[in-house]
Amino acid sequence: MPEGHVPTAGEAIIDREGLQALLDALGARGFSVIGPRIRDEAIVYAPLRNVADLPEGWTDRQDGGRYRLERRGDRALFGYAVGPHSWKQFLFPPRQRLWQARRTEAGFDLLEEPPPSERWAFLGIRACELHALAIQDRVFLGGSHPDRSYAERRRDLFLVALQCGEPSGTCFCVSMETGPKASSGFDLALTELLGDGSHRFLVEVGSRAGEEILAAIPHRSAGEADRREAEAVLDSTASRMGRTLDTRGIRELLQDHPEHPRWEEVATRCLACANCTMVCPTCFCSTVEDHTALTGESAERTRLWDSCFSLDFSYLHGGSVRKEIRSRYRQWITHKLSTWFDQFGSSGCVGCGRCITWCPVGIDITEEVRAIRSSLLEPTHA
Amino acid sequence: MRSPDPFVPSLFRVDRVRRESADTVTLGLLPIQGEIPAFRSGQFFMLYAFGIGEIPVSVSGLWGQGPLLHTVRAVGPVSQALCRLRPGDTLGVRGPYGSPWPLPQAEGGDLLLIAGGLGLAPLRSALLPALAERERYGRIALLYGARSPADLLFGEERSDWSSRDDLQVEVTVDHASPAWRGSVGVVPARISHTRFAPERTHAFVCGPEVMMRYSAAALLGAGVPPARIFLSLERNMKCAFAVCGRCQFGSTFICRDGPVFAYDRISRLLSLREL
């Protein structure tokens, strides 16, 4: 929906009631709002209707293999970074029926899936996640056979971005040049402001649809002090990145060293559990399953998220191509940071840090790159 | 009006079945509605067996002006189900996908077709159009290896090919039977028995990966330029249009950028273990 240039009337300010009015306005326009909520001691993306559904006063503490929610001591509604969910689950569902087949007299017929019945508004999509969305757009829609179900879900999306106020210990969007500021690709963007004892949100407009919604909710024009505070929020976030990744020459760094001893080393720690690929907002690999009813009268085909870490992923009559974990880790990181450029014109990594946080043994993509890069600088390594 | 869903196959009917060997059949397929989609030799289709699943299968050509031909060997659940199909049965077909054999580029020079096992099927789809426009090429040779004489495919057609003056056919098997009078050994070893002018030759190779690697080495040794050696690669694939991610080979997607690759583009990738 955020298409084309929109002359903005300048930023606006809404308060908590204004945020509720925004949720109500989206609901009134037929959008199901998805946003951050606490579930199973983590902040996930789920349907919500009220400001009270948001994780008020909570933050997250993240490091390699570690995620904990903690109290903040203020009433911030967005005072945390990204959790185990990414938005890809809504456009590219983890489990999705592709079609059904029914036996007939003559053989069988195929039944296509209906168009999606819901229109979604994403509340709180961050700069790194907007980049991830743009990357998945290129994967699913940029080829010769656009993925129809992705296209239909994507088309009606309303995006309320969040200018990030709280990076986690595993964030590195500054290194990947994907954040923390969201500058395009949204309908509205919020910056949560907590200063001056007044809890409010600076609202930027990114599309006509966003403009129309803003006009429908109580707001005032932003002043210079509001704008300065919003800038300070982003400056502070940018200065507190938990990780860094040196991306200079990274495409060649990885493609040119497929036999580097570090791959063996990381394989001694990697469990090939696939967590990193499940939480990654850009990983798009999938498999399909075929099921038949017990009567044999009908069958269906389902697409499921899959991972380059599974043995079955590379199975070719007689065995898997990538038998060793070394080969599977190499495939993942080389694809993510290197061959993705050749395939889709950008990195496949947006620096969200999820793969580091949710790795059960805390393998750190930034550290693995650093290890390979630094080993090549040592004169002993030919 | 919704755009087409690229995952949904078209329905085809089995028009005829020809048994090629104990475990291999050629299926002649006709669309239940519409025309056979235009394809180029070397491309593949995804074939769906009701309730069992879907696999990529290279086109082995047309049957005269008739049905679309796919040659299938029963090795897994889907290929076994496809091999059980009878005339009149329905199956799902989508495609064509992938890169073709570069036949136009080979015109004016010699053409070597080097097949191992079931690899003869996709090369048949290159051989037939080349023979149909025989005058466009210099020498043409087919080198074909199979595990045993009982595994040799396209028996009748092959004896027609062997009887032609304008086509050299070299057949070899890994394990001979008592009645076998032909040569025994690996296909790449037949390259030195083949008449061609290396500098003006295009070679199309399809078979097990190890056989293709040795064939490419033998062709390079004979002086064929690496950019004129073409291999047809195979990997696990589910979608066939570069969104399932499974068939990645370096930065290529075999379904989209292949299956037919010029050797100079992939020689480094082929040398890497478990890529």
Side-chain angles (χ1 to χ4, degrees):
Chain A
M1 203 171 269
E3 292 290 330
H5 177 71
V6 177
T8 76
E11 293 90 5
I13 293 289
I14 60 172
D15 56 14
R16 282 175 68 112
E17 287 67 42
L19 186 59
Q20 182 62 52
L22 171 61
L23 297 181
D24 295 341
L26 288 167
R29 283 159 182 76
F31 289 105
S32 302
V33 180
I34 312 284
R37 301 191 70 163
I38 294 180
R39 186 184 286 166
D40 298 334
E41 297 177 55
I43 293 169
V44 300
Y45 297 140
L48 57 82
R49 286 169 192 268
N50 298 304
V51 169
D53 297 331
L54 293 164
E56 178 177 328
W58 287 99
T59 191
D60 49 16
R61 185 125 357 240
Q62 302 191 35
D63 202 346
R66 188 184 156 79
Y67 179 96
R68 293 289 184 279
L69 294 188
E70 291 179 3
R71 279 289 176 189
R72 280 175 61 94
D74 62 18
R75 294 190 65 198
L77 295 169
F78 297 97
Y80 38 83
V82 295
H85 278 192
S86 73
W87 302 98
K88 77 176 178 187
Q89 63 182 308
F90 300 102
L91 304 179
F92 166 45
R95 179 176 194 92
Q96 178 183 18
R97 187 163 64 198
L98 294 175
W99 43 263
Q100 300 174 75
R102 295 272 163 81
R103 281 245 181 256
T104 61
E105 284 285 304
F108 64 88
D109 273 340
L110 294 174
L111 282 77
E112 297 193 12
E113 290 298 294
S117 52
E118 275 187 305
R119 299 163 70 210
W120 286 304
F122 291 173
L123 173 69
I125 181 167
R126 293 150 198 269
C128 61
E129 299 178 307
L130 286 169
H131 277 88
L133 184 63
I135 287 170
Q136 287 219 322
D137 286 350
R138 290 196 286 276
V139 171
F140 288 111
L141 306 177
S144 56
H145 297 70
D147 186 314
R148 184 174 74 179
S149 88
Y150 183 96
E152 289 177 339
R153 288 169 161 78
R154 177 76 175 87
R155 193 177 50 214
D156 293 330
L157 215 51
F158 189 94
L159 297 171
V160 184
L162 178 75
Q163 302 293 12
C164 228
E166 203 63 68
S168 85
T170 57
C171 283
F172 56 104
C173 65
V174 168
S175 298
M176 302 315 294
E177 299 178 15
T178 57
K181 182 175 174 52
S183 38
S184 66
F186 53 77
D187 295 291
L188 294 173
L190 308 178
T191 311
E192 184 167 34
L193 304 178
L194 296 153
D196 292 343
S198 74
H199 191 186
R200 63 206 194 282
F201 299 88
L202 181 115
V203 185
E204 299 161 72
V205 173
S207 73
R208 286 191 198 289
E211 199 169 47
E212 188 268 319
I213 293 260
L214 178 62
I217 63 176
H219 67 277
R220 66 169 171 85
S221 293
E224 195 46 40
D226 301 315
R227 267 191 285 273
R228 270 202 306 275
E229 191 183 337
E231 270 173 42
V233 166
L234 281 169
D235 288 347
S236 164
T237 302
S239 70
R240 290 182 291 140
M241 291 282 117
R243 296 289 199 276
T244 59
L245 177 64
D246 180 356
T247 59
R248 285 173 301 167
I250 197 163
R251 185 186 159 279
E252 294 74 20
L253 180 73
L254 295 174
Q255 284 192 50
D256 291 353
H257 297 97
E259 307 291 0
H260 194 281
R262 185 72 182 187
W263 305 125
E264 297 285 357
E265 197 282 328
V266 69
T268 64
R269 291 175 284 134
C270 175
L271 309 175
C273 72
N275 264 17
C276 50
T277 56
M278 297 293 111
V279 296
C280 178
T282 67
C283 271
F284 59 86
C285 288
S286 64
T287 188
V288 290
E289 281 181 0
D290 292 276
H291 299 278
T292 317
L294 284 175
T295 59
E297 289 305 300
S298 64
E300 62 181 44
R301 194 163 173 78
T302 307
R303 172 165 72 168
L304 300 96
W305 287 1
D306 199 2
S307 170
C308 53
F309 282 94
S310 79
L311 255 185
D312 187 55
F313 187 77
S314 64
Y315 184 85
L316 198 60
H317 42 80
S320 294
V321 173
R322 299 186 196 106
K323 293 184 186 65
E324 296 176 12
I325 291 179
R326 160 195 179 273
S327 316
R328 287 177 254 158
Y329 190 84
R330 177 181 70 185
Q331 167 62 26
W332 179 67
I333 196 171
T334 305
H335 184 217
K336 188 68 52 186
L337 297 174
S338 174
T339 52
W340 208 294
F341 282 98
D342 305 333
Q343 296 170 347
F344 303 109
S346 75
S347 176
C349 175
V350 297
C352 71
R354 287 181 178 90
C355 59
I356 306 172
T357 298
W358 296 96
C359 175
V361 296
I363 294 172
D364 180 341
I365 190 171
T366 67
E367 186 53 38
E368 295 313 311
V369 171
R370 192 172 295 116
I372 291 176
R373 190 185 292 282
S374 62
S375 75
L376 300 172
L377 299 173
E378 292 163 17
T380 48
H381 189 278
Chain B
M1 178 72 184
R2 292 175 91 191
S3 55
D5 185 335
F7 284 101
V8 177
S10 301
L11 296 176
F12 275 56
R13 199 174 305 292
V14 178
D15 181 64
R16 56 190 100 168
V17 178
R18 185 172 76 187
R19 180 150 290 280
E20 304 288 355
S21 74
D23 59 4
T24 305
V25 302
T26 295
L27 301 171
L29 307 175
L30 287 174
I32 289 180
Q33 287 181 342
E35 305 282 305
I36 293 175
F39 67 89
R40 295 167 69 189
S41 49
Q43 291 191 297
F44 67 94
F45 286 80
M46 298 296 285
L47 304 188
Y48 169 75
F50 180 87
I52 310 291
E54 195 180 44
I55 53 168
V57 183
S58 287
V59 183
S60 44
L62 293 171
W63 205 318
Q65 294 306 305
L68 179 66
L69 295 193
H70 283 91
T71 303
V72 185
R73 174 165 289 165
V75 290
V78 182
S79 54
Q80 284 165 12
L82 291 171
C83 286
R84 283 195 298 268
L85 292 174
R86 294 286 162 259
D89 287 347
T90 305
L91 75 167
V93 176
R94 56 190 180 91
Y97 301 108
S99 57
W101 297 114
L103 274 172
Q105 183 187 322
E107 287 177 13
D110 294 350
L111 181 61
L112 283 190
L113 306 176
I114 307 179
L118 194 58
L120 182 58
L123 284 173
R124 177 187 183 275
S125 78
L127 177 63
L128 295 189
L131 292 178
E133 297 181 313
R134 183 65 190 82
E135 68 288 354
R136 291 174 183 257
Y137 302 88
R139 296 186 178 108
I140 301 181
L142 171 67
L143 285 60
Y144 172 41
R147 283 172 298 189
S148 74
D151 291 304
L152 291 167
L153 306 177
F154 306 128
E156 219 170 288
E157 277 179 280
R158 248 183 324 101
S159 58
D160 289 347
W161 298 339
S162 297
S163 65
R164 291 179 71 124
D165 297 334
D166 57 357
L167 174 66
Q168 181 181 357
V169 178
E170 293 283 329
V171 178
T172 181
V173 296
D174 296 336
H175 307 287
S177 57
W180 180 248
R181 293 284 172 268
S183 60
V184 177
V186 296
V187 199
R190 304 312 301 167
I191 291 173
S192 59
H193 297 260
T194 310
R195 293 176 296 278
F196 62 99
E199 69 285 356
R200 52 192 290 268
T201 289
H202 281 75
F204 301 168
V205 189
C206 188
E209 205 161 297
V210 60
M211 166 267 176
M212 292 197 286
R213 283 210 299 269
Y214 278 98
S215 298
L219 290 163
L220 291 170
V224 179
R228 294 189 180 186
I229 301 170
F230 293 85
L231 313 185
S232 181
L233 298 188
E234 185 181 12
R235 285 292 182 273
N236 186 313
M237 58 179 73
K238 301 293 183 190
C239 73
F241 43 86
V243 305
C244 80
R246 304 175 80 89
C247 69
Q248 289 179 74
F249 184 59
S251 58
T252 72
F253 289 91
I254 284 182
C255 68
R256 181 190 69 192
D257 308 312
V260 175
F261 290 98
Y263 183 73
D264 58 346
R265 185 168 175 203
I266 52 160
S267 59
R268 178 172 171 277
L269 300 177
L270 274 177
S271 72
L272 297 172
R273 192 167 54 90
E274 295 200 3
L275 192 72

